Amino acid sequence: MSTQLEKVQELISMREKARMGGGEKAIAKQHEKGKYTARERIAQLLDEGSFEELDMFVTHRCHNFGQDKKSYLGDGVVTGYGTIEGRLVYVFAQDFTVSAGSLSETMSLKICKIMDMAMKMGAPVIGLNDSGGARIQEGVNALAGYAEIFQRNILASGVVPQISAILGPCAGGAVYSPALTDFTIMAKGISYMFLTGPKVVKTVTGEDITQENLGGAVVHATKSGVTHFAAENGEEAIQIIRKLFSYIPQNNLEEAPVVECNDPIDRLEDSLNEIIPENPNKAYDMYEVIGAIIDNGEFLEISRDYAKNIIIGFARMNGQSVGIVANQPKYLAGVLDCNASRKAARFVRFCDAFNIPLVTLVDVPGFLPGSGQEYNGVILHGAKLLYAYGEATVPKVTVTLRKSYGGSHIVMSCKQLRGDMNYAWPTAEIAVMGAAGAAEVLYAREASEQADPAAYIAEKEAEYNKLFCNPYNAAKYGYIDDVIEPRNTRFRVIRALQQLQTKKVVNPAKKHGNIPL
């Protein structure tokens, strides 16, 4: 065999070795836990045959604690680029078979390299996390590696989409990279996220808690809102990424992909003419309204199980990607509270950063009252939503279905927050407060002087109702652009979005605003 052939053979065997990660035993162990390897996950995520791996031969540089005796090609992370539905993406997948996927200095350099490339090329970054945290043997070098990644997450924010999947452990400082990205997907049963683990919690606070109850997928999807999706398993988590990716653009200078629409834009939905109950205190399901007006009823909901009083997610209208924000009367009567405000505000800001129009469906009786909300800063959280809508320069179409009272009317993309097209159904009640509350406030003294105070209040309530609890008073001032027939909602919203395609609004020049965090 010639020298050249020997060298080629050496390359082939080194590649095979690198692809084995931590070896057959470690791979088998990963499979036993119901987990895939880093390369298997990348194969599931990207179009077949599109992955180009980089830095396959990188090894760590640590000589402490016997580290010089064990070294693996690739050093615990697989990095590179490929395509999803033909669109370029950069990806890194931590390899748990190598030192439990713990982060070394060289691993961070590999991750930083593809993040820098993504920024240069204007393409999304997808991180598949499965790591035991910082590599302790490397000390401060591992911490510096994390900080380098976080700095890039921050600079990339709002420039290229960043998506994180948690497909194993993610603890300590490691959690901050996913937290800085746009969307996080966790897989039930195999993933968890927390800053301090159960042992530290027990030592410091005395609290006995399992990994799952402290930082499992369900906990973060329902209680903390840290994760946007809780997938049933690793495969579903990967599929969610692919689906999510179909709604978003490559970067902040491009538009989201437009798909061919076979759902007629003038489709009438007669059920909407009767969906609002006669009794204003009775609930209906906002999902039915969303499903009726979007293309083919296809809706990718974000944070489904967190702050269920508000619904956020992606859909298409005439093939164009839109962000939907809608109050849910079926849950807490659709009121806004700390969590709902925060959830919606972050989504609005993502859509604005990446040129995705916003469609807001309003049925909100107010903010949730009580000391719990006030002590938790509902004023600040409500202000976040207000700020997000007011700052947004993408097309904004708002439809008020029923209640829109007081401060909650303002924060739900009203005309004065630069709503482009503000429609209302005939059932809309746009006022400072509901008629019953208003009559009590305005006529309490006069009522006490009447022979029948209750009848007097009822009379004044009806009067207030007639004067203010309708869409026409707001329409009289131009705060509502038109009162529309509910069954025509899909057509009117799509026509508004078509008209707004050439919208240009620029915010005042500044370094950045100071959003009320």
Side-chain angles (χ1 to χ4, degrees):
M1 193 186 289
S2 70
T3 310
Q4 187 177 343
L5 279 177
E6 279 175 14
K7 288 186 183 297
V8 169
Q9 202 55 51
E10 184 188 12
L11 168 65
I12 291 166
S13 64
M14 281 181 77
R15 279 197 188 282
E16 280 173 12
K17 190 181 175 187
R19 288 193 186 107
M20 288 306 291
E24 280 179 21
K25 274 188 186 171
I27 290 170
K29 219 172 182 182
Q30 185 83 337
H31 288 161
E32 278 164 28
K33 291 178 190 166
K35 290 160 71 177
Y36 290 95
T37 65
R39 284 185 177 81
E40 286 167 344
R41 286 165 176 163
I42 289 172
Q44 289 168 9
L45 175 67
L46 301 179
D47 298 338
E48 194 175 344
S50 72
F51 182 55
E52 291 288 332
E53 188 171 344
L54 304 174
D55 292 331
M56 189 185 251
F57 304 121
V58 164
T59 54
H60 70 72
R61 304 163 186 168
C62 178
H63 301 290
N64 306 327
F65 305 103
Q67 281 294 97
D68 50 332
K69 294 182 179 69
K70 53 178 182 179
S71 181
Y72 297 91
L73 294 176
D75 194 33
V77 69
V78 181
T79 61
Y81 61 92
T83 61
I84 294 178
E85 298 296 332
R87 294 168 60 203
L88 176 67
V89 294
Y90 289 83
V91 62
F92 68 87
Q94 292 171 333
D95 186 354
F96 199 81
T97 68
V98 175
S99 305
S102 58
L103 189 105
S104 66
E105 180 196 8
T106 44
M107 261 178 81
S108 76
L109 290 173
K110 284 181 68 171
I111 294 168
C112 289
K113 183 193 276 191
I114 64 141
M115 291 178 84
D116 291 341
M117 290 174 77
M119 285 287 277
K120 213 186 296 180
M121 261 57 84
V125 179
I126 298 169
L128 308 179
N129 296 269
D130 185 3
S131 164
R135 199 169 292 176
I136 297 166
Q137 297 94 326
E138 297 208 10
V140 74
N141 283 345
L143 297 181
Y146 272 129
E148 290 283 0
I149 294 168
F150 303 158
Q151 181 61 55
R152 282 162 177 79
N153 287 134
I154 293 161
L155 295 177
S157 183
V159 180
V160 294
Q162 300 178 83
I163 300 172
S164 301
I166 316 301
L167 302 166
C170 187
V175 298
Y176 283 121
S177 182
L180 290 166
T181 61
D182 298 306
F183 296 105
T184 302
I185 299 109
M186 292 182 75
K188 292 179 188 174
I190 59 169
S191 69
Y192 55 81
M193 290 175 83
F194 39 65
L195 278 169
T196 49
K199 285 180 183 173
V200 177
V201 170
K202 172 78 172 163
T203 305
V204 176
T205 69
E207 182 187 6
D208 240 326
I209 192 162
T210 63
Q211 282 185 342
E212 192 62 36
N213 289 337
L214 184 62
V218 173
V219 166
H220 284 313
T222 57
K223 294 184 190 299
S224 71
V226 165
T227 191
H228 300 90
F229 300 93
E232 291 302 317
N233 50 46
E235 277 175 294
E236 191 187 41
I238 300 286
Q239 288 313 307
I240 289 170
I241 296 175
R242 286 183 67 95
K243 195 168 185 185
L244 179 60
F245 187 64
S246 72
Y247 289 99
I248 59 181
Q250 290 292 93
N251 55 59
N252 64 338
L253 299 177
E254 294 185 27
E255 305 291 326
V258 175
V259 303
E260 194 181 338
C261 177
N262 53 18
D263 190 352
I265 70 165
D266 56 356
R267 170 171 53 78
L268 295 175
E269 199 63 51
D270 290 328
S271 62
L272 296 184
N273 276 8
E274 298 177 351
I275 198 167
I276 303 292
E278 290 291 321
N279 180 348
N281 297 320
K282 204 173 172 197
Y284 61 94
D285 194 349
M286 188 60 83
Y287 287 116
E288 289 181 29
V289 179
I290 295 169
I293 67 171
I294 61 178
D295 292 356
N296 305 308
E298 290 174 13
F299 181 53
L300 178 63
E301 189 173 0
I302 312 290
S303 300
R304 183 180 62 203
D305 300 313
Y306 179 72
K308 292 197 270 192
N309 34 330
I310 203 156
I311 298 165
I312 59 170
F314 293 111
R316 289 188 183 88
M317 300 199 79
N318 196 28
Q320 179 183 10
S321 190
V322 295
I324 305 272
V325 179
N327 308 111
Q328 172 57 299
K330 268 189 84 172
Y331 194 86
L332 291 176
V335 295
L336 286 169
D337 58 6
C338 294
N339 292 345
S341 301
R342 216 160 43 87
K343 168 181 163 178
R346 192 167 189 267
F347 181 68
V348 166
R349 297 191 96 211
F350 174 83
C351 291
D352 185 48
F354 291 104
N355 313 314
I356 298 170
L358 287 157
V359 175
T360 307
L361 304 175
V362 182
D363 187 348
V364 61
F367 280 90
L368 185 62
S371 59
Q373 288 293 307
E374 297 295 351
Y375 296 169
N376 277 312
V378 70
I379 295 168
L380 285 175
H381 295 301
K384 288 173 189 168
L385 184 53
L386 175 67
Y387 192 110
Y389 269 124
E391 182 188 39
T393 59
V394 289
K396 293 180 280 193
V397 180
T398 304
V399 184
T400 302
L401 281 55
R402 186 169 62 172
K403 297 172 185 172
S404 185
Y405 295 154
S408 61
H409 159 74
I410 299 168
V411 307
M412 289 299 294
S413 197
C414 69
K415 181 55 81 179
Q416 292 71 30
L417 294 182
R418 302 189 299 185
D420 294 299
M421 295 300 289
N422 289 63
Y423 294 130
W425 285 5
T427 44
E429 303 169 17
I430 302 167
V432 173
M433 60 173 65
E440 287 284 351
V441 171
L442 294 172
Y443 300 105
R445 186 178 291 175
E446 287 97 322
S448 64
E449 295 163 2
Q450 305 296 318
D452 187 349
Y456 181 79
I457 288 288
E459 182 191 324
K460 292 299 178 185
E461 188 180 319
E463 199 178 299
Y464 186 91
N465 220 2
K466 192 176 178 185
L467 275 173
F468 298 111
C469 293
N470 60 64
Y472 304 106
N473 195 48
K476 186 167 77 177
Y477 293 101
Y479 304 152
I480 291 294
D481 294 298
D482 199 6
V483 180
I484 64 174
E485 199 179 334
R487 69 181 190 150
N488 284 335
T489 304
R490 169 175 168 80
F491 180 69
R492 298 301 296 271
V493 170
I494 288 172
R495 286 295 292 271
L497 290 169
Q498 287 173 336
Q499 178 234 162
L500 291 163
Q501 280 180 342
T502 52
K503 175 187 175 182
K504 280 184 176 57
V505 175
V506 180
N507 287 329
K510 54 177 130 175
K511 189 174 179 183
H512 57 73
N514 189 14
I515 187 167
L517 297 171

